Amino acid sequence: MNAAAPILLEMRSITKEFPGVKALADVNLVVRAGEIHAICGENGAGKSTLMKVLSGVYPYGTYDGQIVYQGAETRFSDIRASEHAGIVIIHQELALIPDMSIAENIFLGNEPRKRGAIDWKAANRMALDLMARVGLQEDPDTLIKDIGVGKQQLVEIAKAFAKDVKLLILDEPTAALNEADSRHLLDLLRGFRSRGITSIMISHKLNEIEAIADQITILRDGRTVETLNIQDGVDEDRIVRGMVGRELSSRFPDHTPKIGEVFFEVRDWNVRHPISAERQVCKNESFVVRRGEIVGFAGLMGAGRTELAMSVFGRSYGVFESGTIVKDGKEIVLKSVADAIAHGLAYVSEDRKALGLNLLDDIKASTVAAKLSKISRHGVLDEVREYQAAESYRRDLRTKAPTVDEGVAKLSGGNQQKVVLAKWMFTDPDLLILDEPTRGIDVGAKYEIYGIIQRLADQGKGVIVISSELPELIGLCDRIYTVFEGAITGELARADADPETLMKQMTSTKKMQTR
Amino acid sequence: MSRFKDLQKNLFGGTTSNARQFGMIATLVGIVLIFQIWTNGLTLRSDNLIALFNQNSYILILAIGMLMVIVAGHIDLSVGSVAAFTGILVAKSMAEWDLPWPAAIVFGLVIGAAIGAWQGFWVAYIGVPAFIVTLAGMLLFRGGNQYIGNANTIPVPEGFRKIGSGFLPEVGPSTGYNNLTLLLGLAACLAVIWRELQSRKTRREMDADPAPMWISILRMAVMVGVIVFASLRFASGRVGTSFPISGIILVALVLAYSFYTRNTAGGRHIYAVGGNSRAAELSGVKLKRVNFFVMMNMSILAALAGMIFVARSAASGPQDGNGWELDAIAAVFIGGAAVSGGIGTISGSIVGGLVMAVLNNGLQLQGVGTDKVQIIKGLVLLLAVALDVYNKRQGRFSIIGSLTRGLRRDTPSGAPPSSSDAGREPARTTVSG
C-alpha cells in the first residue's frame, strides 16, 4: 500500500556532531504517509539523536542537513515548533505526573479554557473521546499512579492525539510492557495506520518490528545502513545482520551446563505489601537453586517476581511474614541487604538507573560500591586496589569506556548493565539474582551478557534470571518457574519449556502439583 | 592539544586530589589578590589575616558538617540555634555550676550529640524531612537559649576563652617570629610535598602516567610558596598574636573530615546515599544509620562552633548564631556542592567559606556598609551557582565543579572518545540508544 504513498518526511544527509564525537554522519530517512516505520540499531547507533534532531530538541542550526516535512523544508527551533507541525515524540520514560488525573495529564500545557479558567467539563469530555481512540477504559479522574504502565503508555498516546498528531514517534514503546499490553499497543498502532496516521517506532524487540513495521531503517555507528521493506521477506536474522554488520550465528552462546547439588532453597515464603497489609504479594512460594544452574522466573508484569526476589534479598521489599531460607544445608536469616551480601547473595535490579547505580559515580566507584570492605583496611579505602578491581572487570566484561574514570551516566544501557554486573560479581556471590538483565539493551550486548551469565554459572554459582521475554528464558535457563499473582504455578525443565506452556502457567491460578 | 591547554589541565584538573585542591586554592588566591590591590595591602596584613581567621573559623567548622548533610541530600537550618543553645548551657555550667572549663567543653559536645541524636532520630527513623526537623529545631533551640539564659548574656572564664581568642604561645629562641607558627608552616610544606609524591606513586600503580615532573614541581612550589607566605604573616603579627587556636581546631577538623569523606567506606556511603538512596540501600548501605550520623555530626560541630564563638566574645548571649546556617549553606554551595545531594567536597566548602569571608572582610575594609555587603554577597552566591549550573548544562568546563571535582569525568587525551559508544549520544544516557 505504501510504495506509492506520498513521502511525509524526508531527512537528508543529517550530520550531528558533539564535541569530539560525530553522533550522526550523513543519515537519510524517508518516511511515507500512513506507514509504520521502524528504526533499528544497537545502543549508540544514533537513533535517539536522530529523533531529537527531528523533534527540535536539537534545533535547526545545530546540525547539518535538511528536513523536508509535508513537502517543505522545515527548521524547528524547539519541541513546541515540531509539535505544532504535528510531530509528537513519546519517550521511553513516560512524562506523566503521577499525582494528577488522566484528564489533567492529557491536557497538561494544552488545557481547554473558557474565559481564562480551565473548562474541566470540556476537558473530561474530550479526554473520554481521546481515551476511546486509544482503547483506554478508565475514569478520566483516575490518578496516573493508580493505573499500570501499559495504561500510562496509552495516556501518553492520547496526549499526543490531543495535540493533533500527524507523525507519532515512539521510543521503545513496549520496553516496560508485558506481553498482553504490548500486543494491545501494537494493535493500536495498526489501527492508526489504517486511519492514515504515520508512526516511527524505535524498538529493540525485533519480533515486534517484524510483526508490525512496513519499512525498517537500520542505523549503525551513526550512519544509515539500509532501509528494508517488510514485503521483501525480512526476518529477524536479516535485521540483526544489518544492525551488527555480521551474522550472529545464534542469539545465545553455546553452553553445556554443569549442574551440581541444590545449595539454595526458599521454603513457604510469605510476604505482605509494604503499604496495604491485606495484600499478600508472595503466597507460600518455595523454590530451589542448584550450583551451576540458571533458573528462570517467568511471569506477567505484576506477578510478584521482583517482589519475591527483593524480599529474599535482605527483606528489601514488603513486610516479611514467614518462610525460611536454607543455604548450603543451613538455615540463614537475612534481615538486611548487608546480611544478604554477607551470605553471598547478589541482586541486580530491573531498573539499573533508579536502583542499580549512582549515576554521579564513575565506573570505579560503582564497581566496588557493594563491597567496600574488599578494597579497604580498617575502613580506609585503597585507591589503587579500587582501580585495579574496576579495570580488571572492565577488561573482562569488555565494558566500552575509555577508562574506569568515566562517569556511568555517560555509558550506554548495555555498558551500564555490565558495570552493574561487575558491581555484583565483585561481591563474590554464590547466588546471583538478575532481574530483567537485558532490558533495553541491544542485540550485541545481550549476547555478551548471556555469555557472562553462563560463565558465572560455570563457576559453580547459582543464577536466577527474571525476565519478561520468554525466548530469553527459554534460550538461557536450565529450569523455569512460572509465577502468577504472587504464587509459583509451575516448574519446567528447559527441554519442556515452550512459549505456549509457559504462557498458560503464567496466567493460571491453579497451583501445580509440587514434586 | 596545545601546550597551554596541557598546562591548564595538569595544573587545574587531572585525576589526583592534589590537583583539584591546587585549582581551588588558585581561585581563592586570585580573589585575595584583587582585594589586596584594592585595599592597598590591607587584606594581607598580619592583623587582618588573623582577624579574618578568628572571625570565620566557626562558620567554616559549620561548613564541614553542612557539606556532609547536603551531600547526603538533607539540609540543616538549626545550626545557629544549636550553637546558641549549647553556648548558653556551657556558659551557665561554668558560671553557676562551677564546672571546670575542660569539663564544660566535653559537656558542650555531649549536648550537641544529644541534640543531634534528637534531630537524627526524626530524620532517619521517622522520615520527617530534615528541612522541617531543623526548622523546628531552629525555633526550639533559639527559644531554649533565651529561656535558659533569661535573654541575658552570661560571661565565660579566662581559660575557656582560649579556644576562641587564644593563639599559639611564644616558645623557643627569639626569632622575631612566632616559632610554633613557623613549625606548623614547615610541617604543612612537608605534608604538601609528601602528598604530591604519594599521588604520583598512586598514579603509577594505576598504570596511568602521572603529570610531567615539572608540573608537579611547579604545583608544589606554588603551594609551598603560599604556605610559607601565610605562616610568615601569621608568625609576624603583634606580639602575643600568632596562628589562632580556633584556626588549629579548624585545620585539624578539615584534615580529619576530608580524609573521612574521601578515603573511608563510611564517607563514601554518604555520597552514595545522596547520589541515589535506593541504589545505596540495595548495595547494603545502612541508610538510616548514615542519615542519623550526618545529622548528629552536624549538631556536634554546631555545638563546637557555638563554644568557640562564646569563647571569642567572652560571653554567651541570646543573639548568638543568628543567621549562621545561611552562611554555612552558602559556603557549601559556592564550594560546588549539588542541591540534590551526592556532590561536594570539604575542601571546596572551606574555599567557598573563605571566598565569602574574604569578600566580607575586604568590603568592610573599604568601608562598604553592611547593607551593601549583604547585597553583594547575595549576588555572588547566586552568580557562582548559576554559572556552575549554566556551564554544566552547556556541557562545558564547569568552573566550580572542576575546582571541586577536577576533570575526573573527562576523557583522558590519549584515549579516542569515539571508541566508546557512550559518547555518541551524550545528551541521552538512557537505556535505549
Side-chain angles (χ1 to χ4, degrees), chain A residues 110-366:
Chain A
N110 195 16
E111 294 88 352
R113 283 156 206 265
K114 202 159 76 183
R115 289 192 291 276
I118 299 178
D119 183 355
W120 283 118
K121 228 190 217 160
N124 273 358
R125 199 181 55 241
M126 285 155 69
L128 276 174
D129 182 46
L130 291 166
M131 285 159 67
R133 284 173 70 184
V134 298
L136 176 63
Q137 285 162 341
E138 282 285 345
D139 184 337
D141 286 331
T142 314
L143 300 187
I144 289 297
K145 63 178 180 188
D146 294 332
I147 60 176
V149 195
K151 287 181 174 173
Q152 289 177 2
Q153 184 81 267
L154 297 179
V155 173
E156 275 281 12
I157 298 174
K159 196 171 152 186
F161 280 126
K163 291 169 187 160
D164 194 23
V165 59
K166 292 193 186 71
L167 176 59
L168 186 65
I169 304 167
L170 300 126
D171 190 355
E172 291 282 346
T174 60
L177 303 190
N178 61 33
E179 302 242 348
D181 283 346
S182 300
R183 224 165 8 225
H184 178 76
L185 186 75
L186 296 182
D187 285 343
L188 199 64
L189 290 181
R190 285 195 191 93
F192 295 162
R193 173 169 60 191
S194 62
R195 278 185 281 152
I197 295 170
T198 316
S199 311
I200 293 178
M201 175 169 149
I202 296 175
S203 180
H204 285 306
K205 296 194 181 168
L206 302 183
N207 55 342
E208 289 176 358
I209 289 176
E210 192 191 338
I212 193 170
D214 302 305
Q215 302 274 340
I216 303 164
T217 294
I218 298 175
L219 298 183
R220 187 170 70 223
D221 299 336
R223 293 169 190 280
T224 327
V225 175
E226 57 195 338
T227 297
L228 304 170
N229 193 328
I230 206 81
Q231 285 168 336
D232 302 339
V234 175
D235 62 4
E236 285 184 41
D237 290 340
R238 177 69 191 80
I239 304 173
V240 169
R241 198 162 69 216
M243 281 165 62
V244 299
R246 62 186 181 274
E247 194 99 41
L248 279 182
S249 52
S250 160
R251 302 265 296 279
F252 299 92
D254 283 329
H255 181 236
T256 318
K258 303 180 193 91
I259 296 175
E261 293 299 302
V262 169
F263 80 107
F264 188 85
E265 199 172 349
V266 170
R267 290 183 194 145
D268 304 322
W269 197 251
N270 286 295
V271 176
R272 291 191 177 276
H273 192 269
I275 296 160
S276 46
E278 71 278 7
R279 269 180 63 196
Q280 197 165 359
V281 287
C282 295
K283 296 171 193 157
N284 237 16
E285 293 180 299
S286 303
F287 63 88
V288 299
V289 182
R290 298 182 176 83
R291 290 207 173 270
E293 189 181 35
I294 305 174
V295 178
F297 274 77
L300 299 173
M301 188 85 37
R305 296 165 299 164
T306 297
E307 289 79 355
L308 171 63
M310 288 180 75
S311 62
V312 169
F313 187 63
R315 302 185 188 171
S316 48
Y317 174 87
V319 181
F320 173 77
E321 198 173 47
S322 65
T324 47
I325 301 174
V326 178
K327 184 170 171 256
D328 296 319
K330 269 187 288 217
E331 184 177 337
I332 54 173
V333 180
L334 310 174
K335 284 186 179 164
S336 69
V337 172
D339 287 350
I341 294 173
H343 277 97
L345 266 69
Y347 170 70
V348 175
S349 84
E350 59 181 330
D351 190 340
R352 62 184 152 266
K353 286 201 294 175
L355 303 177
L357 290 170
N358 175 358
L359 293 175
L360 302 173
D361 270 341
D362 52 24
I363 296 176
K364 245 179 355 188
S366 304

Side-chain angles (χ1 to χ4, degrees), chain B residues 284-362:
Chain B
V285 174
K286 306 230 155 107
L287 204 57
K288 289 175 180 164
R289 215 179 279 180
V290 170
N291 287 335
F292 184 82
F293 166 74
V294 293
M295 294 310 291
M296 177 151 154
N297 178 64
M298 177 77 259
S299 290
I300 295 173
L301 289 177
L304 180 62
M307 289 191 282
I308 289 175
F309 181 78
V310 167
R312 196 177 82 87
S313 40
S316 166
Q319 298 302 324
D320 292 359
N322 258 345
W324 283 8
E325 57 282 345
L326 302 180
D327 284 338
I329 292 168
V332 170
F333 286 131
I334 290 178
V339 182
S340 49
I343 295 175
T345 58
I346 300 273
S347 39
S349 305
I350 295 300
V351 172
L354 284 176
V355 166
M356 285 298 236
V358 170
L359 205 64
N360 219 349
N361 174 271

Side-chain angles (χ1 to χ4, degrees), chain A residues 18 23 43-44 46 48-49 58 92 171 337 352 354-355 357 360 362 379 381 386-387 405 409-410 415 423-424 440, chain B residues 205-206 259 263-265 268-269 275-276 279 281-284 408-409 421-422 424-433:
Chain A
F18 295 105
N43 284 339
S48 297
T49 311
Y58 301 132
Q92 185 181 4
D171 190 355
V337 172
R352 62 184 152 266
L355 303 177
L357 290 170
L360 302 173
D362 52 24
L381 305 174
E386 174 182 26
Y387 169 81
D405 290 324
K410 277 189 177 178
N415 287 313
K423 167 178 164 179
W424 289 105
Chain B
E205 282 176 44
M206 288 185 183
F259 182 79
N263 296 337
T264 70
R268 195 167 282 187
H269 284 171
N276 185 343
E281 206 176 7
L282 283 176
S283 303
R408 55 191 311 196
R409 298 281 148 87
D421 63 353
R424 206 154 285 143
E425 293 176 46
R428 188 173 168 84
T429 54
T430 57
V431 283
S432 87

Side-chain angles (χ1 to χ4, degrees), chain A residues 383-412:
Chain A
E383 260 186 286
V384 175
R385 272 157 76 192
E386 174 182 26
Y387 169 81
Q388 286 163 345
E391 183 62 23
S392 85
Y393 280 109
R394 184 181 76 84
R395 289 214 186 104
D396 204 29
L397 305 187
R398 294 200 286 157
T399 312
K400 274 194 217 160
T403 68
V404 289
D405 290 324
E406 187 86 351
V408 290
K410 277 189 177 178
L411 302 180
S412 69

Side-chain angles (χ1 to χ4, degrees), chain B residues 183-231:
Chain B
L183 276 178
L184 199 68
L186 184 65
C189 289
L190 292 177
V192 163
I193 293 168
W194 181 77
R195 278 200 51 190
E196 181 70 36
L197 296 178
Q198 199 66 27
S199 93
R200 288 182 67 85
K201 194 174 136 224
T202 309
R203 291 286 291 165
R204 268 196 299 274
E205 282 176 44
M206 288 185 183
D207 319 318
D209 291 326
M213 195 61 200
W214 66 272
I215 295 237
S216 281
I217 290 173
L218 179 63
R219 204 148 56 191
M220 284 189 282
V222 173
M223 290 283 282
V224 167
V226 169
I227 293 169
V228 167
F229 177 80
S231 26

